[in-house]
Amino acid sequence: MSDPSSPTRVKRKNSMDKIYKFEGESSGCLPEKEWLCSICMHVFTDPVTTPCGHNFCKSCLTQCWDKSQHCHCPVCKEKFTKKPELKINTTLRKVADHFKKKSGSDKPEVLCDACSGEKLKALKSCLDCRVTLCKTHLGPHYSMPKLKKHKLINPVENLEDYICQKHERALELFCRDDQTCVCQFCTETDHKNHNTVPIDEESRERKTKLGKTQTDVQQMIQDRLKKIQEIKHSVELRKRSTEKGKADSVEIFTALIRSIERSQAEMLELMEKKQKAAESQAEGLIKELEQEITVLKRRDTELEQLSHTEEHLHLLQSYTSTCSPPHTKNWDEVRINTDLSEDTLSQLQEKLNEKITKTLYEKLKETVSTELKRIQQYAVDVTLDPDTAHPKLILSADGKQVTHGDQRQNLPDTPERFDFCPGVLGKQSFSSGRFYYEVEVRGKTDWTLGVSRQSISRKEDITLSPQNGFWTVILRNENQYKACASPPVPLTLRDKVKKVGVFVDYEEGLVSFYDVEGKSCIYSFTAQPFAETLCPFLSPSTNKVGKNSAPLIISPVFKSE
């Protein structure tokens, strides 16, 4: 068998990828399969047309009818009471020859075995005579009754590969039990009672499966290309956040004494190390992905060549090794580390709290106050959706307040309603742009606030995390604040929060939480890969036997002074 990766076969594959137009046409075109005889699965040679309108090679159809008692169409099975007179379709022959010329320009010619002088181009190979013949020497196979029954195929150089080595007969059948090509005598001996089918039928089925496998491999390539873009985008977002963090820290630390400046230098060095680590991680992942893409592209090329091969035996012998996708890494959970939680203003305030002076604290408040003024212009009017509320949640008539009751209300169990988690979504949803809303949490010991994907699960126990479609901050046991990242991040706040502001920048993948009255940033999720619609998410938690009975209140947004 010829090497499927050889330059000649690669050139041929590239040429067969094209769609050829007829002369004089500007846009009309037909794919390669339209020029294939459904009997031999090769481009038409001396095509003839049956009364039912289907086209075949003249020799293929003649052999088919010679082996049958009745004349019928091999495609639609229509029977003809009188054997039709077969005349070559000259127009179809011209375009088929044109297609052969275009698609086979790089394919080496197979020469006639019978020519004694200058060897002419072969037209067919005879599996019974085991010779490849030109048009002149092929004549007896069309005129002599005995030779008419011989099996003719498109000319091939490796004719011995199409002959059974044991019985010296043509390999015309495929044994599905043993997964090998066999001759008619094999079905009466070693493969007796086995499931055998014509070799062209098995080839067509394998080509269909090859096409599906190729589609899967191409999708894997696209997934990895998309992952590369995602990683590059994450690094860019990280870089922007780093630059912003550096600028903010410079502005803050210029007001401090030398000891605070040393802390500033340490923080900048840490940020630079994290940035380099993130870039290094991204370079490694991109290199690994590009290596996998190279392997997958090579396999895609092999599959493309195999799916267009005209050599059935080569297809079947190469099918198992080529059809199985190469071993690759599962990239679904691979993420570039873009979490800047330690670089946010609230984390900076926590880390430097013992050193920082009242001047620094006021400077931080001034910075956040400026930030709040900017983002409060994106305030939206959020109301709660009663169709999503857990049966124990009680909503106010205006949809602005929610509390947890002791009794489960008799409400319709719809797919939209939370059944396990005591949560509720806002009626408003967002798939682009920026939005901001504020919730009063005064007097509560437990609560959960943030945003979620509109498609999140609502009928089971929920782990709050970005991977599960939640970007939230929680309060538990009166003073335990956490950001529900992966893993959760404990938060140390200077004062107990009374009103929380939630800001989302969809395109930047940003979700930030603010202590509105304390003028501080609680936490920020950065570089999040948003791809679905987001909704405000609130949970007042259980009422703790009255200790946590205060409502969560969606409050009007007043710009910070």
Side-chain angles (χ1 to χ4, degrees):
M1 304 298 288
S2 58
D3 183 2
S5 63
S6 67
T8 299
R9 293 185 62 83
V10 172
K11 288 180 180 179
R12 180 186 173 281
K13 175 260 175 187
N14 291 338
S15 67
M16 292 297 283
D17 282 342
K18 302 175 183 177
I19 295 177
Y20 299 98
K21 298 179 180 179
F22 301 132
E23 293 181 6
E25 288 184 328
S26 60
S27 60
C29 57
L30 289 174
E32 176 191 350
K33 65 180 182 179
E34 297 298 331
W35 312 116
L36 300 183
C37 170
S38 59
I39 298 177
C40 66
M41 298 304 295
H42 296 299
V43 180
F44 293 121
T45 299
D46 291 336
V48 294
T49 304
T50 60
C52 56
H54 294 109
N55 301 305
F56 307 91
C57 297
K58 183 177 181 180
S59 61
C60 293
L61 188 58
T62 300
Q63 288 186 65
C64 180
W65 285 352
D66 287 344
K67 295 177 181 179
S68 175
Q69 296 180 351
H70 304 284
C71 295
H72 65 276
C73 175
V75 174
C76 67
K77 308 303 181 184
E78 180 179 342
K79 291 184 178 180
F80 310 116
T81 55
K82 182 180 179 181
K83 184 177 180 179
E85 182 181 356
L86 298 178
K87 294 184 178 180
I88 295 176
N89 187 327
T90 55
T91 301
L92 184 57
R93 182 171 62 179
K94 288 181 180 179
V95 294
D97 290 344
H98 177 70
F99 183 84
K100 285 181 182 179
K101 182 179 179 181
K102 287 288 187 178
S103 62
S105 57
D106 296 318
K107 181 180 179 181
E109 289 186 350
V110 179
L111 302 180
C112 176
D113 294 332
C115 291
S116 57
E118 181 182 353
K119 292 186 177 294
L120 300 179
K121 179 180 177 182
L123 184 62
K124 291 288 182 179
S125 292
C126 178
L127 295 179
D128 294 278
C129 299
R130 299 188 205 173
V131 292
T132 298
L133 303 171
C134 64
K135 184 175 182 180
T136 301
H137 290 104
L138 191 64
H141 281 76
Y142 294 138
S143 58
M144 297 179 63
K146 184 177 180 180
L147 295 182
K148 283 184 177 181
K149 297 180 180 180
H150 285 196
K151 177 67 175 179
L152 298 178
I153 63 173
N154 275 8
V156 294
E157 291 182 333
N158 53 330
L159 191 56
E160 66 278 0
D161 291 339
Y162 291 77
I163 306 298
C164 175
Q165 299 302 310
K166 183 175 182 179
H167 299 110
E168 302 295 322
R169 296 295 296 271
L171 294 171
E172 299 180 280
L173 302 170
F174 183 79
C175 177
R176 288 178 170 172
D177 293 338
D178 296 331
Q179 294 292 295
T180 187
C181 296
V182 298
C183 70
Q184 186 64 43
F185 282 178
C186 290
T187 63
E188 301 171 4
T189 54
D190 296 343
H191 298 268
K192 188 176 182 179
N193 298 325
H194 284 194
N195 180 17
T196 58
V197 296
I199 197 171
D200 56 344
E201 178 182 333
E202 183 69 15
S203 179
R204 284 194 296 271
E205 292 189 15
R206 294 291 180 99
K207 281 190 175 183
T208 300
K209 293 178 181 178
L210 281 171
K212 294 179 181 178
T213 302
Q214 185 181 15
T215 299
D216 293 340
V217 171
Q218 290 172 345
Q219 184 59 50
M220 292 172 71
I221 293 173
Q222 293 303 314
D223 291 343
R224 280 150 181 76
L225 289 172
K226 183 178 179 182
K227 177 63 70 173
I228 289 176
Q229 293 303 315
E230 178 183 320
I231 291 174
K232 289 181 177 179
H233 182 62
S234 298
V235 172
E236 179 61 28
L237 291 177
R238 171 81 192 209
K239 187 174 182 179
R240 292 182 197 173
S241 299
T242 298
E243 294 302 321
K244 184 178 183 302
K246 288 165 64 176
D248 288 343
S249 66
V250 169
E251 181 181 353
I252 292 172
F253 280 101
T254 53
L256 303 177
I257 59 177
R258 186 170 299 174
S259 61
I260 301 301
E261 291 177 342
R262 286 195 298 268
S263 297
Q264 175 198 20
E266 294 172 359
M267 179 59 69
L268 290 175
E269 182 180 359
L270 177 61
M271 292 167 63
E272 290 290 350
K273 286 182 178 179
K274 288 186 177 182
Q275 176 63 29
K276 290 180 180 179
E279 292 178 348
S280 177
Q281 180 189 11
E283 290 176 358
L285 291 175
I286 290 173
K287 183 177 180 180
E288 190 173 352
L289 280 162
E290 289 175 339
Q291 290 173 346
E292 286 198 8
I293 289 173
T294 299
V295 173
L296 289 168
K297 283 184 175 179
R298 187 182 304 119
R299 179 57 56 85
D300 181 47
T301 299
E302 293 172 355
L303 288 167
E304 178 68 19
Q305 294 173 346
L306 195 58
S307 66
H308 290 288
T309 183
E310 298 177 355
E311 301 177 8
H312 304 309
L313 188 64
H314 171 62
L315 184 150
L316 298 175
Q317 291 175 339
S318 306
Y319 177 83
T320 301
S321 61
T322 307
C323 194
S324 302
H327 177 72
T328 55
K329 182 176 180 179
N330 184 352
W331 293 90
D332 292 342
E333 298 301 323
V334 176
R335 296 288 186 275
I336 192 74
N337 179 18
T338 58
D339 188 2
L340 283 175
S341 59
E342 294 182 5
D343 303 333
T344 61
L345 293 178
S346 62
Q347 294 297 318
L348 179 60
Q349 178 182 338
E350 173 190 350
K351 188 170 184 178
L352 303 179
N353 188 56
E354 293 181 0
K355 298 179 181 180
I356 206 165
T357 64
K358 183 177 180 180
T359 303
L360 177 58
Y361 177 63
E362 292 300 326
K363 186 66 176 178
L364 285 170
K365 289 184 64 174
E366 179 183 338
T367 302
V368 176
S369 178
T370 301
E371 182 73 7
L372 275 173
K373 287 180 181 180
R374 182 184 69 83
I375 65 177
Q376 283 174 337
Q377 64 179 309
Y378 300 107
V380 294
D381 183 17
V382 173
T383 54
L384 302 175
D385 185 355
D387 293 335
T388 66
H390 185 279
K392 285 190 176 182
L393 296 187
I394 302 172
L395 273 58
S396 62
D398 60 1
K400 296 293 185 180
Q401 301 185 29
V402 56
T403 57
H404 186 275
D406 292 323
Q407 300 298 321
R408 189 181 183 93
Q409 302 173 80
N410 185 20
L411 298 172
D413 184 17
T414 61
E416 294 79 16
R417 190 177 304 284
F418 286 96
D419 189 60
F420 195 95
C421 168
V424 61
L425 298 181
K427 288 184 177 181
Q428 293 71 27
S429 60
F430 307 88
S431 56
S432 63
R434 301 167 179 171
F435 64 94
Y436 174 82
Y437 72 98
E438 294 179 352
V439 180
E440 187 172 325
V441 297
R442 196 184 311 270
K444 294 192 66 60
T445 64
D446 299 74
W447 48 258
T448 302
L449 292 175
V451 295
S452 73
R453 288 198 296 257
Q454 197 172 48
S455 62
I456 45 96
S457 174
R458 309 179 192 188
K459 300 298 182 182
E460 57 189 7
D461 190 12
I462 297 171
T463 299
L464 299 172
S465 69
Q467 287 74 16
N468 291 333
F470 292 88
W471 293 266
T472 56
V473 167
I474 65 174
L475 169 65
R476 297 291 185 265
N477 302 321
E478 296 191 44
N479 56 12
Q480 296 177 6
Y481 294 92
K482 287 184 180 180
C484 296
S486 296
V489 179
L491 304 173
T492 301
L493 306 184
R494 184 182 182 92
D495 300 307
K496 188 173 178 64
V497 180
K498 299 180 178 63
K499 183 181 290 188
V500 178
V502 182
F503 173 68
V504 175
D505 187 326
Y506 194 96
E507 281 69 30
E508 289 294 324
L510 174 69
V511 182
S512 293
F513 298 83
Y514 294 89
D515 177 355
V516 178
E517 295 185 2
K519 302 293 190 298
S520 66
C521 181
I522 299 173
Y523 186 81
S524 289
F525 294 92
T526 60
Q528 299 301 303
F530 296 142
E532 297 183 28
T533 301
L534 302 179
C535 296
F537 173 78
L538 291 78
S539 173
S541 193
T542 58
N543 62 18
K544 303 283 186 180
V545 195
K547 293 182 180 180
N548 189 40
S549 59
L552 288 177
I553 303 173
I554 300 174
S555 56
V557 176
F558 299 101
K559 291 187 178 182
S560 301
E561 297 297 332

